[in-house]
Amino acid sequence: MKLHTLISSIPLLFLGAFPATIIAQEIKLPCDIVEDEVLDQTPADRVELITAFNPAKTIDRVDPNYPRQAARAGAEGWVQMSYVIDIDGNVQDPVVEDFGGHYTFKRSALRAIKDWKFTPAMKDGKPTEQCHQTVQFDFTMDNNYGATKRFIKKYKEADAFIKSKDYAAAQTIVSKLYESKNLNRYENAWLWSIDAILGRMLGDDIRELTSISRTLASSKSHNTEKKIFDDEYIGFLHQRLFNLQAQSGRLAAALETAQNIKSLPDAESRLKSIQGTIAQINKLIASDEHLFVNVDLQDTGTHFHMLARNKFAFSEIQGQVETVEVRCETRRVKFTVAEDFVWTIPAKWGQCQVMVKGDTEATFDLVEIKKI
């Protein structure tokens, strides 16, 4: 993994001259009915179950348009989202879980996914809604490989500052690079990678965790011939992500990362090194201890958490937390939020992810309730 292997490419000026590729990497999981008007009618002092659900087939999937502004700049990136299929087979409630690269990719992905068409899911012989848990759109330019000389220069400067422990100077360079509107997928991957390193040096585990996740998301769009990171570094990132998820209480996510490690070339040695932690996670999930995760909604006002148990609650709420939506393998439910109220999710619903929405300044503890 050497930076000098990133050779500067000719700037991209016109989309027509440089064909673009947009790939949807999809994971399909069924969900359930949502009635938004019920939420509007729910008193603020009550906790109300809003929804209750089964699978749909694809008729048409429309690729997003490559935004002209991004194409002219040679910008690349990706968008991760979840969405719901309504009783007519149309997409509703698309939610951007995360994105990387040019800001216009979000809008393009949202527009495209709303035009996807399905045969509706059926329940008791009648059409019903369904959720597909995640999809990632990769926005890439054909023949756009490597990094610019300017990016390489700035990256090396930031790296030198980190090595000399001048983290403030490194942060200044990294912040300016984030302001760039023309980074390609290679540059984005390197930028998130060094941001993860800076987060680790500053002791900011959540920043490091987020940046590693984005580094890996970007690397999905790299083909085998033009990979930016070698297998050793990708393995290291997965292992580090696993450890950070475990340390921060994101236990189900950590176990999912451990599953992903199994598909890596160096899986055996890496799994052996984390086997003890996996055993501790499983023991903790099965224990009579509450599991706490500190959450800060920050800029987006939305937080996603994969549940390790089927009971959870909120405590220490600061600011406005509006709704919590639980998307599972076989159901989707939506609630208003009340502190210290315990939600119980039927075990037969399978693996569930919680989506919490609220004010960008809101903080709270998400508590997975102990086994009884």
Side-chain angles (χ1 to χ4, degrees):
M1 189 189 71
K2 296 182 179 179
L3 190 60
H4 62 70
T5 62
L6 302 180
I7 306 301
S8 176
S9 58
I10 299 173
L12 303 179
L13 299 178
F14 301 104
L15 180 58
F18 297 87
T21 302
I22 301 174
I23 300 174
Q25 303 180 39
E26 190 169 9
I27 299 175
K28 300 181 180 180
L29 295 174
C31 264
D32 223 72
I33 302 171
V34 173
E35 296 294 342
D36 290 335
E37 62 269 20
V38 178
L39 177 59
D40 296 334
Q41 299 169 9
T42 303
D45 60 347
R46 292 180 60 197
V47 178
E48 192 75 22
L49 174 63
I50 294 177
T51 74
F53 165 112
N54 230 307
K57 296 182 180 179
T58 303
I59 296 176
D60 187 28
R61 294 199 315 181
V62 178
D63 290 334
N65 291 323
Y66 209 107
R68 186 176 299 275
Q69 185 178 354
R72 286 176 174 170
E76 298 177 307
W78 46 268
V79 180
Q80 294 174 343
M81 61 174 60
S82 62
Y83 59 96
V84 174
I85 302 170
D86 68 16
I87 61 173
D88 296 316
N90 299 314
V91 169
Q92 301 291 338
D93 296 333
V95 178
V96 174
E97 295 191 5
D98 201 4
F99 86 103
H102 204 276
Y103 69 93
T104 57
F105 294 143
K106 289 194 296 181
R107 184 169 62 246
S108 180
L110 283 167
R111 285 176 177 171
I113 204 169
K114 289 178 181 178
D115 289 332
W116 285 18
K117 187 69 177 178
F118 301 82
T119 59
M122 304 295 289
K123 179 180 180 181
D124 298 328
K126 297 180 180 180
T128 187
E129 291 185 326
Q130 175 184 324
C131 160
H132 284 195
Q133 191 130 11
T134 54
V135 59
Q136 176 170 317
F137 291 106
D138 293 318
F139 292 80
T140 63
M141 304 291 292
D142 294 353
N143 301 317
N144 188 20
Y145 303 117
T148 63
K149 292 180 180 179
R150 177 186 175 278
F151 179 87
I152 294 174
K153 180 176 181 293
K154 291 297 181 182
Y155 180 98
K156 288 183 175 180
E157 288 175 359
D159 185 51
F161 280 129
I162 290 174
K163 289 177 179 177
S164 65
K165 298 185 179 181
D166 189 346
Y167 303 133
Q171 178 62 60
T172 298
I173 294 174
V174 168
S175 296
K176 287 183 178 179
L177 286 173
Y178 273 122
E179 294 173 1
S180 301
K181 299 294 190 293
N182 62 344
L183 299 183
N184 64 32
R185 61 191 183 275
Y186 295 89
E187 293 164 336
N188 279 321
W190 278 101
L191 180 54
W192 288 313
S193 177
I194 199 169
D195 191 83
I197 295 170
L198 187 54
R200 181 163 71 250
M201 296 299 101
L202 295 172
D204 189 340
D205 289 348
I206 300 304
R207 175 178 178 176
E208 183 185 1
L209 186 158
T210 301
S211 292
I212 288 177
S213 295
R214 290 173 175 172
T215 304
L216 292 173
S218 181
S219 70
K220 290 180 181 179
S221 65
H222 302 164
N223 62 44
T224 55
E225 296 178 356
K226 302 291 183 179
K227 290 192 297 185
I228 184 62
F229 301 126
D230 59 28
D231 292 338
E232 174 65 23
Y233 189 58
I234 291 294
F236 164 77
L237 289 176
H238 277 86
Q239 190 170 339
R240 181 62 182 167
L241 178 62
F242 167 84
N243 288 329
L244 289 167
Q245 289 168 330
Q247 292 167 15
S248 62
R250 293 160 172 80
L251 304 185
L255 292 178
E256 183 178 67
T257 299
Q259 286 295 320
N260 293 336
I261 290 175
K262 291 182 178 181
S263 64
L264 301 179
D266 54 352
E268 186 175 351
S269 61
R270 294 201 178 277
L271 285 171
K272 184 177 180 180
S273 67
I274 64 174
Q275 205 59 52
T277 304
I278 292 174
Q280 291 176 0
I281 289 174
N282 287 321
K283 183 177 180 180
L284 187 57
I285 292 173
S287 74
D288 59 359
E289 298 181 32
H290 294 319
L291 308 177
F292 289 83
V293 179
N294 302 122
V295 178
D296 184 345
L297 293 185
Q298 299 180 336
D299 317 312
T300 63
T302 305
H303 175 76
F304 299 89
H305 175 77
M306 189 178 296
L307 290 172
R309 293 173 174 172
N310 68 334
K311 292 185 179 182
F312 69 96
F314 296 93
S315 67
E316 303 297 329
I317 297 176
Q318 302 293 324
Q320 182 65 36
V321 180
E322 297 166 359
T323 61
V324 53
E325 183 174 332
V326 184
R327 296 189 174 189
C328 306
E329 292 177 5
T330 61
R331 296 290 190 278
R332 180 166 75 113
V333 293
K334 192 172 184 179
F335 306 88
T336 51
V337 174
E339 192 165 4
D340 299 325
F341 183 90
V342 177
W343 285 270
T344 301
I345 308 300
K348 65 181 180 180
W349 287 13
Q351 180 68 61
C352 296
Q353 178 174 266
V354 174
M355 179 176 70
V356 186
K357 290 187 176 182
D359 188 83
T360 55
E361 303 298 322
T363 62
F364 56 89
D365 286 340
L366 193 155
V367 187
E368 297 199 49
I369 304 303
K370 66 182 180 182
K371 298 284 187 178
I372 297 176

